[in-house]
Amino acid sequence: MERRSVRRPRRVQVQYWKRGEPQAYAGYTTNISTTGMFIATTSPQAPGARLRVEVMDGSHGFMVEGVVAHARKVRGDMMRLTHPGMGIRFLSVVELVRELIPIMAGETEEIPEPERDWGLAPPPPQPVTAPPPAPPPDPKPSPPLAVAPPVSPAVPRPVDGVGAFIVQFLGASEFVEVFQRDILNGGLFVSTRYPGRLQEVVKVDLLPPVKDAVPVSFRARVVQRFEPQGGDFGANLLAGMGVEILELPVVIQKLRPFVERLKML
């Protein structure tokens, strides 16, 4: 299924309620778009569950109704590589109104009447003007416009020895958190639509969120993969792979100066 809207990485605290239950659950978004979001939480609900979600972002917060499109549970020993959670598809106003006022079989939705039927004055008639004369034909035909060849939006996954999987961060706090939680323990989650094969050794370029920083490159072994999955919510928001970092002491030594520098900010 073609993706209906662009999903952008954004970490925002949320709380949500399952329909018919008073208990609130906590989580945070990892990706969000105009049609849905992925909530990282240790209490993911089953696909099809109806939820009410409150996004807590100060003056930008809002409440939304949604349905669980897909859920992922993660074993405790794998939580350092990826997060459990669920993809939420937002319910539209049309869907909510149809729940309030169901449309019977064979019934058509009401179409609003013209404005004049609501007591408003009809718009004044507009004067009819003659169309402008057509320009004289050009004696010399114009050269055909050059059309650029179509560019495929799909980027092929890196091939061993040729390219690398790139890992970037939204800011200093996320980089420090991933370093302390995942990298020090030997793992990392790489977000990509083209995860490597299990046990495959891949190259990773990690970009610290520091101006003019040189990428830290290292080899890693794929130990978990999450392929894009279709459905009403589109592709899996956390498609990618969990990797085990090879030569971990060297990688930590290269990254620690960036961590210490960013902690001072």
Side-chain angles (χ1 to χ4, degrees):
M1 175 177 292
E2 182 180 357
R3 179 171 292 185
R4 291 174 295 174
S5 58
V6 178
R7 300 190 183 119
R8 303 186 183 280
R10 183 70 191 275
R11 184 186 177 102
V12 182
Q13 185 179 0
V14 301
Q15 59 180 354
Y16 60 91
W17 295 262
K18 187 176 180 181
R19 193 173 194 177
E21 295 183 1
Q23 179 182 358
Y25 299 88
Y28 61 89
T29 65
T30 59
N31 284 274
I32 189 168
S33 74
T34 57
T35 58
M37 65 173 64
F38 190 92
I39 298 178
T41 174
T42 56
S43 305
Q45 303 297 316
R50 176 74 171 272
L51 303 179
R52 173 168 294 179
V53 182
E54 180 182 8
V55 178
M56 296 179 287
D57 189 31
S59 60
H60 301 292
F62 59 90
M63 296 282 290
V64 66
E65 296 278 340
V67 174
V68 179
H70 60 86
R72 182 177 70 242
K73 294 184 178 181
V74 179
R75 301 195 314 267
D77 57 338
M78 295 301 300
M79 291 184 65
R80 62 186 178 88
L81 299 179
T82 187
H83 305 288
M86 54 190 173
I88 307 297
R89 179 181 68 85
F90 296 154
L91 292 175
S92 66
V93 175
V94 173
E95 291 175 287
L96 295 173
V97 172
R98 282 177 176 170
E99 288 186 355
L100 180 65
I101 310 174
I103 299 176
M104 304 300 293
E107 182 182 359
T108 58
E109 292 192 64
E110 180 183 358
I111 300 177
E113 301 177 8
E115 288 186 344
R116 60 177 177 272
D117 293 339
W118 294 93
L120 302 179
Q126 300 295 324
V128 179
T129 57
D138 190 350
K140 295 182 179 180
S142 301
L145 295 177
V147 179
V151 178
S152 172
V155 180
R157 66 175 297 272
V159 180
D160 292 346
V162 177
F165 292 94
I166 298 177
V167 177
Q168 302 183 70
F169 302 89
L170 296 177
S173 59
E174 184 185 31
F175 172 74
V176 173
E177 178 183 357
V178 170
F179 177 82
Q180 295 176 335
R181 183 192 63 210
D182 299 334
I183 296 177
L184 286 179
N185 291 312
L188 182 67
F189 179 79
V190 179
S191 178
T192 173
R193 292 178 58 195
Y194 307 97
R197 300 180 300 273
L198 288 177
Q199 300 303 314
E200 177 185 1
V201 175
V202 298
K203 181 183 177 183
V204 178
D205 279 352
L206 189 146
L207 303 178
V210 176
K211 185 178 180 180
D212 300 327
V214 177
V216 176
S217 301
F218 55 87
R219 296 183 308 126
R221 179 180 293 108
V222 179
V223 295
Q224 190 83 346
R225 51 181 287 134
F226 305 95
E227 298 186 17
Q229 300 174 358
D232 292 339
F233 194 59
N236 182 8
L237 288 175
L238 282 186
M241 56 188 178
V243 300
E244 176 188 0
I245 301 175
L246 305 179
E247 301 177 354
L248 180 61
V250 177
V251 176
I252 293 177
Q253 183 180 6
K254 292 181 179 180
L255 292 177
R256 193 174 293 279
F258 294 107
V259 175
E260 299 301 327
R261 176 178 173 183
L262 292 172
K263 282 184 177 179
M264 302 297 295
L265 297 179

